[in-house]
Amino acid sequence: MAEIRTGTGDGDGESRAVRSDICARLDEIRDFVPAERRPELEEILVALRGSGDPAGPQAALHRLLRRCGVAAGLRAFTRGAGIGGLPAAVEAHPVVEAYVCPGDRCDRRAPARNQPVPETCRLYGEPMRRRRLS
């Protein structure tokens, strides 16, 4: 596999959004990757979990998905492809609580209402943390 460059930062807002989409749909992504390519997927995920810029690993994941027959690559799993989520908190709206990324590494949010047990971050394997959004 080609080297995955990770850079030195956590990436911009778009990278955070893509990282959250990967987390939310990682089980689906894994379903598209055949067993013989799973080691490559895991190597990409390790790089994505790192502290560097996620753009390199995201590009590598996009290429891997394309090689696995997903014509749109990573774009098939991003918000434009139907990922929903909670809107950003807006002043004067009711209080909204959600489970958020445990390390504040992405902008994934899962509704906390009527869910006493937090979801697990699929990318890092940690429980998501409850946070008041408004």
Side-chain angles (χ1 to χ4, degrees), residues 23-83:
C23 177
R25 300 188 66 185
L26 188 55
D27 292 340
E28 290 175 65
I29 290 169
R30 280 194 168 110
D31 287 344
F32 280 95
V33 178
E36 64 271 9
R37 292 197 178 263
R38 290 284 168 89
E40 184 178 355
L41 173 62
E42 292 308 315
E43 186 177 332
I44 291 167
L45 294 175
V46 166
L48 188 61
R49 289 179 189 113
S51 62
D53 184 350
Q58 288 170 3
L61 181 55
H62 175 75
R63 290 188 301 271
L64 173 62
L65 289 167
R66 297 277 316 255
R67 287 193 305 274
C68 293
V70 180
L74 188 54
R75 287 187 298 275
F77 299 94
T78 58
R79 290 195 179 129
I83 282 262

Side-chain angles (χ1 to χ4, degrees), residues 3-128:
E3 179 183 344
I4 301 170
R5 285 179 254 162
T6 59
T8 58
D10 284 337
D12 59 13
E14 183 179 338
S15 293
R16 289 175 56 87
V18 173
R19 188 183 276 167
S20 69
D21 292 341
I22 292 168
C23 177
R25 300 188 66 185
L26 188 55
D27 292 340
E28 290 175 65
I29 290 169
R30 280 194 168 110
D31 287 344
F32 280 95
V33 178
E36 64 271 9
R37 292 197 178 263
R38 290 284 168 89
E40 184 178 355
L41 173 62
E42 292 308 315
E43 186 177 332
I44 291 167
L45 294 175
V46 166
L48 188 61
R49 289 179 189 113
S51 62
D53 184 350
Q58 288 170 3
L61 181 55
H62 175 75
R63 290 188 301 271
L64 173 62
L65 289 167
R66 297 277 316 255
R67 287 193 305 274
C68 293
V70 180
L74 188 54
R75 287 187 298 275
F77 299 94
T78 58
R79 290 195 179 129
I83 282 262
L86 298 173
V90 178
E91 194 171 325
H93 283 158
V95 171
V96 175
E97 286 191 339
Y99 291 111
V100 299
C101 179
D104 196 33
R105 293 165 273 214
C106 75
D107 61 0
R108 180 175 172 215
R109 299 174 182 173
R113 188 176 195 175
N114 301 323
Q115 292 187 22
V117 177
E119 287 196 31
T120 298
C121 171
R122 291 174 187 93
L123 200 54
Y124 292 90
E126 302 167 12
M128 295 177 74

